[in-house]
Amino acid sequence: MELVSRVPGGPIEKSWDAHRFEMKLVNPSNKRKHHIIVVGSGLAGASAAASLAELGYRVSCFCFQDSPRRAHSIAAQGGINAAKNYQNDGDSVWRLFYDTVKGGDFRSRESNVYRLAQISVNIIDQCAAQGIPFAREYGGLLANRSFGGAQVSRTFYARGQTGQQLLLGAYQALEKQIGLGQVAMYPRAEMLDLVLVDGRARGIVVRDLVTGKVSSHAGDAVVLATGGYSNAYFLSTNAKGCNVTATWRAHRRGAAFANPCFTQIHPTCIPAHGEHQSKLTLMSESLRNDGRIWVPRQKGDRRRPNEIADAERDYYLERMYPSFGNLVPRDVASRRAKDMCDDGFGVGEGGAGVYLDFRDAIGRLGRHVVEERYGNLFEMYERITGENPYQVPMRIYPAPHYTMGGLWVDYNLMSTIPGLHVIGEANFSDHGANRLGASALMQGLADGYFILPYTIGDYLAQAKLAAVDPGHAAFRQVEEDVAGRVKKLLAVGGSRSVDSFHRELGRLLWDKCGMSRNAAGLKEAMEKVRALRERFWKDVYVAGKGEDFNQSLEKAGRVADFFEFAELMCHDALHREESCGAHFREEYQTPDGEARRDDAKFSYVAAWEFTGAGNAPVLHREPLAFEHVHLAQRSYK
Amino acid sequence: MNLVLHVWRQPGAAAEGRFVRYDANDVSPDMSFLELLDVVNEGLIAKKEEPIAFDHDCREGICGACGMVINGRPHGPQRATTACQLHLRHFQDGDEIWVEPWRARAFPVIKDLAVDRGAFDRIIQAGGFITARTGSAPDANAIPVPKRDADLAMDAAACIGCGACVAACPNASAMLFVAAKVSHLGLLPQGQPERYDRVVKMVDRMDQEGFGACTNHGECMRACPKEISIDFIARLNRDYLKAAVGPQPSAVSKVERGFG
Amino acid sequence: MPRLAGLLQSLVGKKIVMAVTGMVLFLWLLAHMIGNLHIFEGPESINHYARWLREIGAPVLSHAQALWLVRAVLILAVGGHIWAAWAVTRASWAARPVGYKLHQTAETTYAARTMRWGGVLLILFVVYHLLDLTFGRLNPAYVDGDVYHNVVASFSVPLVAGFYILAMAALGLHLYHGLWSGLQTLGLHRRPTDRWRRSLAAAIAVLVFLGFISVPVAVLAGVVR
Ligand SMILES: Cc1cc2nc3c(=O)[nH]c(=O)nc-3n(C[C@H](O)[C@H](O)[C@H](O)COP(=O)(O)OP(=O)(O)OC[C@H]3O[C@@H](n4cnc5c(N)ncnc54)[C@H](O)[C@@H]3O)c2cc1C
Ligand code: HEM
Ligand code: HEM
Ligand code: SF4
Ligand code: F3S
Ligand code: FES
């Protein structure tokens, strides 16, 4: 396997333009002859499917939800970045580029990030034209806010429902194309494998989740837009259905998986409340603008928070980071909270929580100001916990939230399998070791609206593709594999539910490959994952039939893949002997507990090749060069 | 706390359904309603029975996947709350709870509590969009939108497509859902060129899908987890009436355009 | 296909038909109610009024021509109203073939839920009423042209007066929801009006109810005899 990044040369400001010019075009009358398979209907998938259809390609689009509108992108709250500089506060494409590379702790490709920053501007135009009801100022122009500690206000938002509104925009464009017959939509359909013919991605095998029928779909190119894998941890802020199956299956068929250990943990989530907790809910990071984070000074202090006097409270972020205080980046805030709880200072059920207190903000600003700024978040908190945050401090705890890792792609968003393109959270491309707030929506839409529709044309114009249909032997073979796997899951007939295994896997990963990792823990985790996987295949019980609407079976397939994937994740975390961004290795920290990067040894993308079940994955390195943003250590003291 | 559940079980679209009683003992008031179903399902799996099928995904009240009628109310008794965000503390120890799927001809049951809401997607296909081909957009600030209009459009756009409005409506009408989309797009300058075609096409599609007629009961608004107002239904009606008889923003007359 | 015909085919369009015809019927009823109040001015007044009704437009129009014009509009309105109500009701019944075991309503009113059966009651009432006071078939003491006498004779039977009062209650309910609903259906509704829309509908409904029942109540009470 060879990693060819196809990064264009020349000045970075011009490279995307130059590259677009160099790309081959598909003759307009030939577009209709090409059939493209898009898996996923989130921001990335829906925008790509709609745009490709508008160009004249025939598209088939798949999602596992009952409607493309429900993809996980719908849950994004905060906003979307764009270098519009509408606020005249000194933002620019260059600054967004710079912030994103630096925020990613120098583990992303400069050329990709620069292109992302350039395109960010077009995304906002496109979305406004679609009727996204972005927040506006009284003059009727678009409003912005500063997000995630950015120095400029470049975040566009639609109340607390930005992801929803952006997705509905893309969904509506997609539905229009479905109505025109240009896109064939397959909801409640799960891709269970990728099909290669002559070394190129030529189709997928899906299971119809209503009838259970396994069938093949053939095309000239396959696009994966299947989102992230935070659910490997079982408890995360991701929707319940998010999974690694599509990307993992593609990996098994030859697509390199890049940086799987780069997983982001979000600091302000509502803590779990017992063993039946099924997922975690994120609250906007903006809460840290006015809330103060603390734990009792005394270990295991069980008094009610309001009975604990100021002198007995430890506002630990303010103590440790006098200049940034409660506004330190996500990874730092998360890690510190975990440290406090691990040391026995945690509050609430099981001691897994720290306080986020608005008492002082209410005193300083008045209740109505706090209500105006955070009213809906307070309501959400109260709905879930039954506690009133105006009166008692909120309890928060970090939770897995986003995965920077994903299938390796070149500058054209094509994986190491020719014809297999990967977009959105499913690829590894732009965020390095840590993603900045409001940048995932930007990336998903950049990929789907403005990059893939060009680059896939370049591929189609050059590839000499023989006609292939689902009757081809390669499809038959993969269909059999898939059907066999389904049968195998149903046949185990053990005693434990799928969820119980998933929970156990999740806890293990959270403990050993979560916010902070060490070599011993990772090795232990890998062994335990293997053992657990074996137990899964011996003792899982999957109710029902294969030819039916069977949610246990859906889950079982996903968890089986998480098991295989978890090992790779630990493997990657173990091999990366440095701390960078969200990847914190306890062995590699400064004396005062900050992350220590090792640019000499690890300034590369780690792309893993699958070499067969049970074999160790093979590492391929894509070296990273930083010509425009100079390598520097982050400091928030 | 202990609860008694009566859950609608229906093995498939064509099969007969019935209520089955399940006792949920020692559940925590801090659990969500879907977590309660998870617990019941774990119990069923332990007995090697088939778990209850129900749609869900985000579990934070935004994807619109979840939805069931709980004690006669879509999404349950709490206002502005989806089933996944409903917590058991709103029930009393010992309560009997009836759980049913959305009931409407246009939302056929797939299995147990899961229904097919594809009709909503088809209504959007008919016209629930603004045509803005990728790449064709002017600068986002080239078209200012009065803040009040943008805010009102956002109120309508908050719809999560869950279908509770249909489930709640005594007529099984989809007016609130359709009105929310018609209003969202019709309130914005970007949505004007297609405004009147849109409303006619979406309403026609709604009828074809077999939804009932709105007689202004207002139940939909009460059940709606996003508290979408029936004011938007009035807006839809007005636009529809204008589409039929009123002046329109196109210089080409209705007759010239071929559909009168 | 002209758009207007399309309008008649859709459910929203049918509702618009119902609202427009409902409004026509309401306006006519208002006139009818005010006309009825002439009865309190004595037999001369009301009988004169009844005669006048038939002479409107004279000498351009011949006897009762205007009245028949109004009747034609009325018959069309009633026909349209019932046609639309029937179509809409059928669609709604068909839209939920399997009902709920438990269905709790929270927002709707008694008036809204009884529109259909209330409407049927109203049509039955009108049939009876026409046979009673217009054609005199059900009124043994009927004297052609003496409206005052006919009304008093009819309402002196407590059962008849009671039925009228009951029907007027149904009418009040129908109007309470109908007026509000009609405004909504015609889209004549902006935010600030919302607050008084329902109250206005209630006030009008009560006024119409009181205006109509004042006659049978007065006869029963012996004020008009
Ligand atoms: C709570 C929360 C808040 C967030 N807030 C923000 C924010 O404010 N700003 C920001 O920029 N980012 C935010 N993010 C991150 C951002 O929402 C996601 O990274 C982004 O939406 C991912 O989009 P996507 O299109 O790549 O994938 P998704 O939206 O996850 O879509 C995946 C699609 O793939 C389909 N799919 C998956 N697997 C299969 C399969 N095997 N077969 C068939 N179909 C499949 C699914 O059905 C779905 O349609 C947030 C994330 C979370 C969890
Ligand atoms: C006596 C004269 C009547 C008047 C003044 C009247 C008035 C109205 C009005 C204003 C509406 C509201 C329309 C809308 O919501 O768009 C309405 C609705 C309705 N009317 Fe009548 N109506 C009358 C007689 C009848 C009769 C005789 C019937 C039945 C056969 C009937 C059945 C209905 C029904 C079913 C509705 C719809 C219910 C609803 O909107 O909730 N009405 N009427
Ligand atoms: C208690 C109340 C009412 C009284 C005392 C009353 C009285 C009368 C009288 C005396 C007439 C005959 C007039 C004439 O022949 O010149 C009449 C006609 C009529 N009334 Fe009423 N009425 C009452 C309520 C209603 C109501 C509620 C309705 C409708 C829902 C109604 C519908 C009619 C109609 C349709 C006619 C025939 C009109 C015509 O000939 O053109 N009435 N009424
Ligand atoms: S209008 Fe409300 S109830 Fe209806 S689909 Fe939308 S969110 Fe759900
Ligand atoms: S409940 Fe039904 S009748 Fe109309 S106002 Fe709502 S759609
Ligand atoms: S599961 Fe998404 S709204 Fe309830």
Side-chain angles (χ1 to χ4, degrees):
Chain A
M1 177 184 293
E2 203 191 342
L3 303 176
V4 188
S5 67
R6 292 199 172 80
V7 169
I12 197 164
E13 303 88 337
K14 303 237 167 64
S15 54
W16 173 231
D17 268 355
H19 188 68
R20 277 199 294 178
F21 177 69
E22 279 159 19
M23 281 190 287
K24 301 276 176 295
L25 297 173
V26 178
N27 183 320
S29 61
N30 278 341
K31 287 198 175 120
R32 177 162 18 94
K33 296 181 190 151
H34 288 294
H35 178 206
I36 301 172
I37 289 174
V38 178
V39 188
S41 64
L43 283 179
S47 58
S51 302
L52 291 168
E54 285 165 6
L55 286 172
Y57 295 107
R58 282 184 297 119
V59 178
S60 294
C61 184
F62 300 79
C63 73
F64 65 75
Q65 291 92 347
D66 68 326
S67 160
R69 67 178 290 149
R70 305 200 204 286
H72 166 62
S73 295
I74 202 111
Q77 305 167 354
I80 177 167
N81 287 334
K84 279 285 196 186
N85 192 29
Y86 281 159
Q87 303 304 320
N88 197 28
D89 55 1
D91 197 11
S92 62
V93 168
W94 194 272
R95 189 179 292 279
L96 177 55
F97 157 62
Y98 178 91
D99 287 355
T100 308
V101 171
K102 184 159 172 263
D105 219 5
F106 302 95
R107 290 297 173 262
S108 50
R109 226 184 253 152
E110 276 191 340
S111 54
N112 280 54
V113 178
Y114 192 87
R115 174 177 65 183
L116 174 65
Q118 274 178 312
I119 289 174
S120 68
V121 175
N122 308 60
I123 296 173
I124 299 304
D125 297 343
Q126 178 63 27
C127 294
Q130 288 172 342
I132 307 297
F134 282 124
R136 294 192 176 252
E137 294 162 355
Y138 279 98
L141 302 179
L142 291 161
N144 292 105
R145 62 183 171 204
S146 146
F147 195 74
Q151 309 277 318
V152 290
S153 291
R154 63 159 75 103
T155 303
F156 293 78
Y157 60 101
R159 294 216 182 120
Q161 289 129 272
T162 316
Q164 179 199 27
Q165 293 310 315
L166 296 175
L167 181 60
L168 291 182
Y171 156 78
Q172 284 161 200
L174 172 63
E175 288 294 339
K176 173 172 177 158
Q177 297 302 320
I178 297 170
L180 293 173
Q182 200 67 27
V183 176
M185 184 72 217
Y186 299 85
R188 292 199 200 265
E190 184 163 29
M191 166 185 165
L192 293 179
D193 219 330
L194 179 75
V195 182
L196 273 65
V197 176
D198 302 333
R200 293 176 187 272
R202 293 305 301 270
I204 59 173
V205 170
V206 302
R207 181 171 172 272
D208 180 321
L209 298 182
V210 176
T211 62
K213 191 168 171 300
V214 170
S215 64
S216 293
H217 296 262
D220 299 324
V222 177
V223 180
L224 296 188
T226 50
Y229 51 83
S230 296
N231 276 356
Y233 293 100
F234 185 74
L235 284 182
S236 85
T237 64
N238 282 21
K240 291 293 285 175
C242 293
N243 65 83
V244 77
T245 292
T247 45
W248 181 253
R249 289 287 141 195
H251 173 61
R252 289 184 55 124
R253 299 263 170 214
F257 210 114
N259 301 335
C261 79
F262 288 169
T263 57
Q264 187 174 70
I265 313 290
H266 197 286
T268 50
C269 303
I270 302 177
H273 60 63
E275 57 190 306
H276 297 300
Q277 179 89 33
S278 60
K279 81 155 287 218
L280 296 168
T281 303
L282 173 115
M283 289 184 297
S284 167
E285 221 166 353
S286 62
L287 288 169
R288 287 197 283 143
N289 290 344
D290 287 306
R292 297 180 69 194
I293 295 176
W294 63 276
V295 293
R297 280 192 188 282
Q298 204 188 317
K299 273 187 194 181
D301 193 334
R302 285 279 155 256
R303 283 178 296 168
R304 267 173 283 162
N306 290 339
E307 290 166 4
I308 301 175
D310 249 1
E312 295 174 276
R313 299 175 174 194
D314 180 9
Y315 292 95
Y316 58 87
L317 287 177
E318 297 170 23
R319 172 169 59 80
M320 292 188 233
Y321 305 95
S323 62
F324 274 74
N326 293 301
L327 289 173
V328 290
R330 286 177 180 178
D331 53 331
V332 179
S334 296
R335 207 152 50 233
R336 290 302 170 212
K338 181 174 188 289
D339 290 348
M340 287 295 150
C341 297
D342 289 350
D343 292 346
F345 295 101
V347 297
E349 209 178 297
V354 300
Y355 289 125
L356 175 63
D357 201 338
F358 284 84
R359 185 193 61 184
D360 296 346
I362 292 171
R364 179 164 43 92
L365 305 164
R367 187 186 150 127
H368 66 281
V369 174
V370 171
E371 193 169 334
E372 202 175 272
R373 287 189 192 162
Y374 309 111
N376 56 343
L377 293 167
F378 278 35
E379 249 172 60
M380 176 167 99
Y381 181 84
E382 189 172 355
R383 200 187 334 264
I384 292 173
T385 63
E387 288 171 11
N388 178 351
Y390 293 103
Q391 281 154 15
V392 284
M394 288 181 169
R395 285 172 297 113
I396 56 168
Y397 198 65
H401 172 61
Y402 182 86
T403 54
M404 283 73 69
L407 291 183
W408 184 90
V409 288
D410 63 14
Y411 189 71
N412 289 341
L413 304 179
M414 190 159 83
S415 71
T416 52
I417 299 176
L420 178 69
H421 295 72
V422 190
I423 57 178
E425 195 175 337
N427 72 23
F428 88 107
S429 65
D430 301 346
H431 306 295
N434 183 42
R435 174 178 69 80
L436 292 182
S439 288
L441 302 182
M442 169 172 77
Q443 181 230 330
L445 290 180
D447 289 0
Y449 282 132
F450 295 110
I451 303 174
L452 182 87
Y454 297 109
T455 58
I456 210 167
D458 184 50
Y459 170 77
L460 293 171
Q462 296 187 45
K464 304 263 175 299
L465 297 168
V468 162
D469 67 61
H472 190 282
F475 282 90
R476 289 288 169 75
Q477 179 58 47
V478 177
E479 266 178 48
E480 260 169 48
D481 292 354
V482 167
R485 216 156 47 235
V486 168
K487 264 204 208 88
K488 199 171 148 201
L489 281 167
L490 288 164
V492 179
S495 64
R496 281 180 62 183
S497 73
V498 176
D499 273 356
S500 78
F501 278 106
H502 194 180
R503 261 178 215 281
E504 198 172 334
L505 172 68
R507 211 169 301 131
L508 185 63
L509 288 178
W510 176 245
D511 286 344
K512 306 294 179 195
C513 193
M515 252 178 293
S516 62
R517 299 126 182 216
N518 60 55
L522 288 165
K523 284 181 192 147
E524 184 193 330
M526 283 163 72
E527 265 169 40
K528 284 193 169 162
V529 166
R530 242 170 275 147
L532 194 59
R533 184 173 66 220
E534 276 166 27
R535 215 157 353 115
F536 173 83
W537 282 105
K538 286 205 184 86
D539 198 21
V540 74
Y541 175 70
V542 182
K545 301 186 299 270
E547 305 76 32
D548 193 9
F549 187 69
N550 186 341
Q551 293 173 314
S552 304
L553 181 61
E554 292 168 28
K555 275 197 270 192
R558 293 171 195 159
V559 172
D561 288 335
F562 276 133
F563 268 118
E564 297 183 9
F565 172 71
E567 218 178 309
L568 181 67
M569 205 166 130
C570 297
H571 198 93
D572 184 43
L574 182 64
H575 116 280
R576 191 169 280 276
E577 294 174 330
E578 64 162 350
S579 294
C580 62
H583 170 65
F584 188 80
R585 278 286 296 267
E586 287 155 12
E587 303 95 315
Y588 308 98
Q589 50 181 312
T590 61
D592 47 1
E594 299 305 326
R596 214 179 62 220
R597 240 177 31 226
D598 186 346
D599 293 325
K601 274 173 74 184
F602 289 100
S603 189
Y604 63 74
V605 175
W608 299 94
E609 182 183 353
F610 184 80
T611 53
N615 296 351
V618 170
L619 174 66
H620 299 268
R621 297 184 179 84
E622 181 197 342
L624 294 169
F626 294 92
E627 294 165 15
H628 303 278
V629 185
H630 293 293
L631 286 162
Q633 205 73 34
R634 297 188 307 169
S635 169
Y636 299 96
K637 287 284 170 195
Chain B
M1 63 199 290
N2 299 329
L3 296 166
V4 177
L5 289 162
H6 301 274
V7 182
W8 181 260
R9 300 303 304 266
Q10 181 174 337
E16 287 280 307
R18 66 193 174 98
F19 285 95
V20 179
R21 180 192 158 120
Y22 301 104
D23 292 301
N25 295 331
D26 282 333
V27 293
S28 150
D30 285 330
M31 277 171 28
S32 74
F33 199 83
L34 299 192
E35 284 167 357
L36 170 69
L37 293 182
D38 289 343
V39 168
V40 171
N41 278 345
E42 287 289 304
L44 288 172
I45 292 168
K47 287 191 283 179
K48 308 230 160 179
E49 288 175 30
E50 260 203 69
I52 303 161
F54 60 95
D55 274 318
H56 65 102
D57 202 21
C58 74
R59 297 213 174 185
E60 50 184 79
I62 192 71
C63 75
C66 68
M68 53 199 75
V69 174
I70 301 170
N71 274 349
R73 297 233 175 132
H75 290 305
Q78 201 188 4
R79 265 196 172 198
T81 304
T82 52
C84 57
Q85 289 289 82
L86 172 68
H87 285 73
L88 299 189
R89 65 181 79 91
H90 298 286
F91 295 91
Q92 306 284 317
D93 189 28
D95 271 0
E96 277 196 54
I97 304 174
W98 294 82
V99 189
E100 306 175 62
W102 289 169
R103 298 271 189 216
R105 179 160 66 121
F107 289 168
V109 172
I110 292 174
K111 186 173 181 175
D112 298 341
L113 303 174
V115 301
D116 178 359
R117 285 167 291 199
F120 272 8
D121 290 329
R122 291 188 291 275
I123 292 174
I124 299 294
Q125 276 161 34
F129 46 75
I130 288 172
T131 301
R133 203 168 21 77
T134 302
S136 62
D139 184 88
N141 260 348
I143 307 167
V145 182
K147 180 171 164 42
R148 237 180 275 118
D149 294 2
D151 284 349
L152 193 58
M154 181 62 221
D155 286 348
C159 165
I160 58 174
C162 63
C165 43
V166 175
C169 176
N171 301 315
S173 165
M175 275 293 262
L176 194 62
F177 169 79
V178 179
K181 188 46 65 194
V182 163
S183 302
H184 158 210
L185 301 176
L187 275 160
L188 296 170
Q190 291 87 343
Q192 296 313 305
E194 293 162 297
R195 179 171 172 183
Y196 296 100
D197 288 354
R198 176 185 305 122
V199 65
V200 170
K201 287 182 178 151
M202 289 180 77
V203 163
D204 285 353
R205 187 75 222 181
M206 168 170 70
D207 285 356
Q208 283 167 37
E209 294 292 341
F211 291 103
C214 170
T215 56
N216 301 316
H217 282 290
E219 286 301 324
C220 49
M221 165 170 73
R222 171 62 87 94
C224 174
K226 299 296 148 187
E227 301 191 291
I228 310 265
S229 164
I230 54 171
D231 290 0
F232 294 122
I233 295 184
R235 266 179 198 282
L236 178 151
N237 286 330
R238 184 161 64 234
D239 277 8
Y240 189 82
L241 194 55
K242 271 199 204 159
V245 295
Q248 297 195 10
S250 165
V252 180
S253 81
K254 277 181 278 177
V255 178
E256 286 172 275
R257 272 186 288 151
F259 55 69
Chain C
M1 173 181 63
R3 211 41 254 165
L4 219 54
L7 180 127
L8 292 184
Q9 274 169 17
S10 82
L11 291 173
V12 173
K14 286 180 179 122
K15 278 298 310 266
I16 290 172
V17 168
M18 216 146 91
V20 171
T21 53
M23 290 301 163
V24 168
L25 294 176
F26 165 69
L27 290 178
W28 181 85
L29 263 176
L30 215 58
H32 186 34
M33 181 196 84
I34 293 167
N36 283 354
L37 295 180
H38 284 292
I39 209 157
F40 291 104
E41 296 167 358
E44 274 317 301
S45 174
I46 182 96
N47 288 351
H48 175 263
Y49 168 72
R51 247 175 282 123
W52 172 78
L53 280 179
R54 288 161 175 79
E55 304 304 332
I56 302 175
V60 178
L61 300 178
S62 58
H63 180 75
Q65 247 183 0
L67 188 65
W68 273 109
L69 218 70
V70 172
R71 282 174 176 167
V73 170
L74 219 55
I75 289 166
L76 267 175
V78 169
H81 197 75
I82 294 177
W83 166 77
W86 171 238
V88 158
T89 302
R90 256 194 5 193
S92 294
W93 283 345
R96 179 164 294 136
V98 183
Y100 290 106
K101 159 94 188 164
L102 219 65
H103 191 153
Q104 285 190 20
T105 52
E107 197 73 28
T108 181
T109 57
Y110 182 74
R113 274 176 281 131
T114 51
M115 287 300 274
R116 288 162 192 160
W117 294 117
V120 171
L121 187 72
L122 279 178
I123 209 69
L124 292 178
F125 162 79
V126 170
V127 170
Y128 172 83
H129 177 53
L130 290 180
L131 293 176
D132 176 18
L133 292 179
T134 303
F135 303 115
R137 295 283 163 77
L138 295 175
N139 193 345
Y142 185 78
V143 177
D144 200 24
D146 191 349
V147 173
Y148 187 90
H149 165 83
N150 295 340
V151 168
V152 173
S154 192
F155 290 167
S156 301
V157 184
L159 206 66
V160 172
F163 174 60
Y164 265 79
I165 294 172
L166 189 82
M168 292 312 101
L171 176 70
L173 277 177
H174 196 87
L175 283 181
Y176 167 53
H177 182 72
L179 289 178
W180 176 85
S181 175
L183 289 178
Q184 177 86 358
T185 300
L186 295 175
L188 297 172
H189 162 230
R190 306 276 161 126
R191 235 158 224 226
T193 62
D194 191 46
R195 259 170 281 127
W196 49 265
R197 237 174 10 146
R198 272 202 190 250
S199 329
L200 186 77
I204 292 175
V206 168
L207 219 72
V208 169
F209 172 69
L210 291 178
F212 272 124
I213 66 159
S214 64
V215 179
V217 167
V219 173
L220 279 182
V223 178
V224 170
R225 59 179 112 187

